[in-house]
Amino acid sequence: SDTVPAGGNLLRNVRRVLGQPDAPRQGLSTLARRVGYHPDYLNRLLKQTCGLTLGECRSVARLQTAQRLLGQARPVSEVAQETGFDDPNYFARWFRAQTGCTPTAWRAGSLVSSRTTIRR
């Protein structure tokens, strides 16, 4: 029989793995194995626990990291690299899809307010 770990421990383990410096560059299968699960099973557990898949959790973690780094006035190209994007233009499009504004516009607005939500 399947044993489902307590939601808090699962989320804590996922956050720990996603917080590792090389996590943005790792594939989802590798990240799932690091948490200790097959990717499909981990996605089912995460969906039940927090309503997000591993990919969505990684997007949240990437976005939070990107926003923190942009708030430190780091160049967009450097933020892109540190969040696992090789192409700064692709990063800017991804960031805009997540937040509704470009990284540069977010940085200008972040002095006024902090936004870390993912658009759906």
Side-chain angles (χ1 to χ4, degrees):
S1 81
D2 285 347
T3 58
V4 177
N9 288 336
L10 177 65
L11 293 176
R12 195 168 17 265
N13 289 338
V14 168
R15 283 189 192 108
R16 178 183 52 75
V17 167
L18 291 176
Q20 294 172 352
D22 65 340
R25 298 213 166 274
Q26 298 297 312
L28 293 175
S29 294
T30 300
L31 294 172
R33 282 193 301 276
R34 283 188 180 176
V35 178
Y37 293 94
H38 183 277
D40 295 336
Y41 184 61
L42 179 58
N43 278 331
R44 277 200 307 278
L45 291 177
L46 285 170
K47 223 33 169 161
Q48 292 169 1
T49 304
C50 66
L52 300 174
T53 64
L54 181 59
E56 291 165 337
C57 289
R58 181 173 64 176
S59 286
V60 169
R62 280 178 158 176
L63 182 61
Q64 290 171 341
T65 299
Q67 290 174 323
R68 180 176 49 78
L69 295 173
L70 288 167
Q72 297 170 0
R74 303 273 280 282
V76 172
S77 59
E78 190 178 301
V79 174
Q81 280 288 318
E82 287 201 35
T83 53
F85 294 90
D86 292 326
D87 179 357
N89 293 317
Y90 179 75
F91 165 74
R93 287 193 304 274
W94 174 83
F95 189 92
R96 185 176 190 151
Q98 304 302 309
T99 65
C101 60
T102 66
T104 307
W106 186 91
R107 180 179 13 232
S110 72
L111 300 175
V112 178
S113 69
S114 176
R115 297 178 286 257
T116 58
T117 58
I118 298 258
R119 291 171 85 201
R120 294 220 162 168

